[in-house]
Amino acid sequence: VTAAPTPLPTMNVREFINTIALEDGTEFNDPNSYQSRALRWLEGNPNANTYSSNQLTQRYALRCIYESTSGDGWTINTGWTSPTTEECDWFGIVCNAQKRIQRLEL
């Protein structure tokens, strides 16, 4: 039996990400920080408010990796720049049947 995804609480994307932010949201004070860039990318996703809290957390964490390691310069970054492609379909992401990330193979 597979548990249903946890729906995103009735809050917007920014409010939710603030609940998991490493520095209580102060990292978003700098608009050029990798966290701010990742949050803007996520907020620009037309589907973001439909994601489960797990999916939103995964996407934010992965985008932070992408932004902090100059992902635009990666040799292969297929899927990482598409706001609507599921993260389990991004290059180098390995997920289980419940669509939870198991490992990165970059």
Side-chain angles (χ1 to χ4, degrees):
V1 174
T2 302
T6 306
L8 185 61
T10 54
M11 61 178 69
N12 68 35
V13 172
R14 181 175 293 267
E15 290 170 332
F16 176 76
I17 296 301
N18 272 325
T19 68
I20 62 168
L22 296 177
E23 299 173 23
D24 297 323
T26 60
E27 59 266 48
F28 305 119
N29 292 340
D30 176 359
N32 296 313
S33 70
Y34 70 86
Q35 298 99 324
S36 288
R37 295 191 313 266
L39 178 58
R40 279 194 306 275
W41 177 83
L42 197 52
E43 287 178 316
N45 183 325
N47 301 321
N49 286 319
T50 67
Y51 294 147
S52 68
S53 56
N54 181 65
Q55 189 175 18
L56 198 57
T57 301
Q58 288 187 155
R59 291 178 76 85
Y60 173 71
L62 289 170
R63 191 61 187 202
C64 281
I65 291 169
Y66 183 86
E67 292 292 344
S68 67
T69 60
S70 302
D72 286 339
W74 294 354
T75 302
I76 304 172
N77 62 8
T78 306
W80 287 77
T81 58
S82 171
T84 55
T85 301
E86 287 194 22
E87 62 273 20
C88 291
D89 294 330
W90 297 358
F91 173 80
I93 304 301
V94 178
C95 295
N96 64 17
Q98 292 76 38
K99 297 188 178 186
R100 292 191 181 252
I101 296 170
Q102 298 299 295
R103 66 185 177 278
L104 280 70
E105 296 179 352
L106 302 175

